[in-house]
Amino acid sequence: MADLNDLLNRLPIDDIAKQVRASPDEVRAAAAAALPTMVAGLAAQTGDEASSEKLAGALAEHDNDLAQGDIDVTQVDTADGQKIVGKLFGDQADTVAQGISGAVPAAGVDQGLVKKLLPILAPIVLSYVMGQFTGKKGGAPASGGLGDILGGLLGGGSGHSGGLGDILGSVLGGGTKGTAKNDNPLGSILGSILGGK
């Protein structure tokens, strides 16, 4: 099972940095927090079979090669990306962006940068998840449902029954790790927005 580090390492960070007028270090730091947040947002929509099927249908519209091989940021439809962000986070997108910026120690990663990044990253994330689901990344289609795949990408395997709050806690530095990030409200913000708590 692939994980989000694979996707993060393949992002054209320098190209994205030029597009959003930020440093590569800032973009990489923000992307490292934004990717699991978006995947967790998708995972929150797989609570039952009907919602999982609806999400799979939406993902099928993004069954493209955008996240396969070398990722070309010029091929990203940011208008579509903005719609994806809207569907994932609704009217809480600003709050989520604020939470992501708070999860990143780099001083230049403010809410404005995150809001520029999310529409660029969203189509890439959906393409990547769909590639895992259909087996485009080599090999056969993944076994298990879409929720299992999303849980696996978040490092929780198929057993992410602990809820979205637990997933985000482990992904974003909360939970039992005892790190300095524990006071970051992102886990609880997303948990309440997306129904994980």
Side-chain angles (χ1 to χ4, degrees):
M1 168 66 73
D3 64 31
L4 290 179
N5 283 330
D6 168 54
L7 180 56
L8 180 63
N9 290 332
R10 292 196 298 109
L11 287 176
I13 296 293
D14 290 345
D15 294 340
I16 296 172
K18 287 176 189 171
Q19 188 167 331
V20 299
R21 297 182 181 178
S23 78
D25 287 345
E26 290 164 356
V27 168
R28 184 174 180 84
L35 293 179
T37 302
M38 285 189 282
V39 172
L42 292 170
Q45 299 179 40
T46 60
D48 56 53
E49 190 171 337
S51 58
S52 292
E53 287 178 5
K54 184 176 178 183
L55 178 60
L59 286 171
E61 296 176 13
H62 298 273
D63 188 9
N64 54 48
D65 293 328
L66 183 62
Q68 311 307 319
D70 292 333
I71 298 171
D72 182 355
V73 73
T74 65
Q75 298 299 310
V76 174
D77 182 348
T78 54
D80 184 46
Q82 195 63 58
K83 291 177 187 174
I84 295 166
V85 172
K87 287 179 182 176
L88 278 179
F89 304 123
D91 61 1
Q92 298 295 322
D94 286 352
T95 307
V96 171
Q98 183 178 6
I100 291 172
S101 69
V104 182
V109 181
D110 60 15
Q111 183 178 347
L113 172 58
V114 175
K115 286 173 71 173
K116 289 178 188 174
L117 279 177
L118 289 177
I120 296 170
L121 296 176
I124 297 171
V125 168
L126 263 61
S127 175
Y128 184 75
V129 169
M130 198 60 193
Q132 298 297 319
F133 189 52
T134 61
K136 276 191 177 181
K137 186 116 171 98
S143 60
L146 188 53
D148 292 340
I149 292 167
L150 293 167
L153 287 173
L154 289 167
S158 61
H160 62 282
S161 58
L164 181 60
D166 291 348
I167 293 170
L168 288 169
S170 61
V171 168
L172 299 173
T176 59
K177 300 218 175 206
T179 66
K181 291 185 183 178
N182 282 356
D183 58 355
N184 183 339
L186 184 58
S188 57
I189 289 170
L190 283 174
S192 60
I193 291 169
L194 303 171
K197 294 210 171 191

